[in-house]
Amino acid sequence: MKTGLKLLLLSAVTLLVSSQWENYKDLPDSYKTHIDKALVAANKDFGGSDHVAYEQLLSSSTFRGSDYYVNVRLMGTTCKKDENKGYGHREECVTKRPKRPVIDCVVCNTRGGGGEVIDCAKIMEVKNREEIRSTCSIFYFTGRGHILSEEVSAQWRNYQDLPDSYKTHIDKALDVANTDFGGLHYVAYEKVLNERFTDSDYYVNVRLMVTTCTKDENKGYGHREECVTKKSEKASIDCVVCSTRDGELTHCSEDVRNKNMKGP
């Protein structure tokens, strides 16, 4: 899939999430719990005498089972810090003070259930936070965006290990890909590349592969457990399934970067 189209689709999901949750009061309680931790940490380290307040929840934030990754943007305000009011959310502090750096915070649980990361940095210094944010169980920071960690990606090489919420959307991609690609050969699941889930919006980017299995109308285009051998000369198929303002989009295309150029 062309990079420009993938970025456009992901941007659409980002806008949906960001526009819904620009106000702290509109956030689900599950997010507020972790954002409050970020507010406390940021007010201790940033803002000087000015209160640091919630500005925006970033679309990389997600929950999966017992794992969570909350990425939030905070801002310095015209309010003064007040020990009596504390460092949590203050409803009256909504005016951003000009020429103050934006604060980017991540709150996540660490891999293996060993603890929690609360990490805040000025937006221009986030690129230096890779080491600590890479310990998050779901995502890690790359400097180009947030993608699945290698550990999580490795866990989901097998379709049967995927959460049901993922299978639902991947099955849609399998149906479209087998209709449009592979010729006589069945197109199967290979790998989850990226994903975003919120309460109502989703973005699933998956890589599929053309296999040595032959398509069978009786078995359908859904997942087939026996089809695991990739037909090496065939290109991979890159699919995105995501919610849109008007419904849902399922789009697949050949990923020619992964094609063996020696093939026919």
Side-chain angles (χ1 to χ4, degrees):
M1 182 180 298
K2 292 182 179 180
T3 302
L5 177 58
K6 288 171 69 175
L7 289 174
L8 181 62
L9 295 175
L10 188 53
S11 295
V13 177
T14 301
L15 287 172
L16 280 170
V17 175
S18 297
S19 61
Q20 289 173 351
W21 291 342
E22 287 184 348
N23 296 317
Y24 179 92
K25 63 180 184 303
D26 295 332
L27 291 164
D29 289 341
S30 57
Y31 285 95
K32 289 179 181 177
T33 298
H34 301 298
I35 291 171
D36 287 346
K37 300 172 190 174
L39 285 169
V40 170
N43 272 291
K44 288 180 178 178
D45 297 333
F46 301 98
S49 61
D50 297 323
H51 179 74
V52 176
Y54 172 80
E55 182 176 19
Q56 186 179 61
L57 181 70
L58 301 183
S59 64
S60 50
S61 304
T62 190
F63 286 80
R64 185 168 58 244
S66 60
D67 295 325
Y68 55 91
Y69 180 99
V70 177
N71 189 192
V72 64
R73 184 167 293 167
L74 308 179
M75 63 181 183
T77 69
T78 55
C79 291
K80 293 300 180 183
K81 290 177 179 174
D82 186 330
E83 290 186 1
N84 295 323
K85 294 182 178 180
Y87 287 158
H89 175 67
R90 290 169 54 184
E91 197 64 38
E92 74 276 16
C93 298
V94 295
T95 303
K96 186 174 183 178
R97 184 176 289 282
K99 298 182 180 179
R100 287 287 191 273
V102 173
I103 308 301
D104 182 284
C105 294
V106 163
V107 181
C108 70
N109 65 310
T110 57
R111 291 194 291 272
E116 182 177 64
V117 168
I118 303 173
D119 183 66
C120 295
K122 295 177 182 178
I123 193 71
M124 69 285 288
E125 297 174 356
V126 169
K127 61 182 181 294
N128 300 322
R129 308 306 298 167
E130 181 176 358
E131 183 175 354
I132 186 167
R133 297 187 182 190
S134 68
T135 64
C136 293
S137 61
I138 297 178
F139 290 103
Y140 73 96
F141 180 77
T142 66
R144 298 184 300 276
H146 294 82
I147 62 175
L148 286 175
S149 70
E150 287 300 318
E151 181 174 318
V152 172
S153 183
Q155 290 173 354
W156 290 349
R157 288 283 185 176
N158 296 318
Y159 178 92
Q160 65 267 25
D161 295 331
L162 290 164
D164 289 340
S165 57
Y166 288 70
K167 290 178 181 177
T168 297
H169 301 301
I170 291 170
D171 287 346
K172 299 170 189 174
L174 285 170
D175 187 66
V176 169
N178 273 290
T179 300
D180 296 338
F181 302 98
L184 297 175
H185 295 283
Y186 173 76
V187 178
Y189 170 78
E190 183 177 4
K191 181 181 180 182
V192 173
L193 299 177
N194 203 343
E195 52 83 21
R196 307 281 171 88
F197 281 87
T198 68
D199 287 350
S200 58
D201 298 313
Y202 54 89
Y203 174 96
V204 178
N205 183 199
V206 63
R207 180 175 296 160
L208 308 179
M209 62 181 181
V210 180
T211 70
T212 55
C213 290
T214 302
K215 290 176 181 175
D216 186 333
E217 289 185 3
N218 295 323
K219 294 183 177 180
Y221 288 161
H223 175 66
R224 291 168 55 184
E225 197 65 38
E226 75 277 14
C227 298
V228 294
T229 303
K230 186 174 184 178
K231 193 169 178 61
S232 60
E233 74 272 14
K234 297 291 185 180
S236 296
I237 310 300
D238 190 310
C239 295
V240 163
V241 182
C242 69
S243 55
T244 67
R245 288 184 176 87
D246 300 320
E248 182 179 72
L249 176 67
T250 303
H251 180 84
C252 297
S253 63
E254 282 192 338
D255 187 351
V256 296
R257 292 169 299 177
N258 292 302
K259 186 173 182 179
N260 184 342
M261 299 308 293
K262 295 181 181 180

